[in-house]
Amino acid sequence: SIETLSTAITLEAGVQWGAAYDAVAAVNRTIVGAHPVDPSIGAAGGWLMGGGHSALTPTYGLGTSRSNRILHPLTTSLC
């Protein structure tokens, strides 16, 4: 799911960039994200963990620099 606030967007696991771009466009906002050529790229995964390089990086910085927080589950297994 995607939740847009006044200055932040929450992206949950499985959200793709196409859906994220559509959600922020609906509230007249812009986000630093992956190249829109392939909108099926996951928005909350590897792109951000790899630094978050974008066409908007020279203006707004890396995706990781624009992130307020990243939450991820910790798993514990008994092997």
Side-chain angles (χ1 to χ4, degrees), residues 17-47:
W17 278 114
Y21 291 136
D22 291 345
V24 297
V27 293
N28 199 29
R29 300 284 186 202
T30 301
I31 55 175
V32 176
H35 196 280
V37 169
D38 186 1
S40 66
I41 295 172
W47 175 82

Side-chain angles (χ1 to χ4, degrees), residues 3-11 24 27 29 31 66 68:
E3 179 183 339
T4 57
L5 303 173
S6 61
T7 59
I9 181 171
T10 300
L11 302 172
V24 297
V27 293
R29 300 284 186 202
I31 55 175
R66 306 296 296 174
N68 293 337

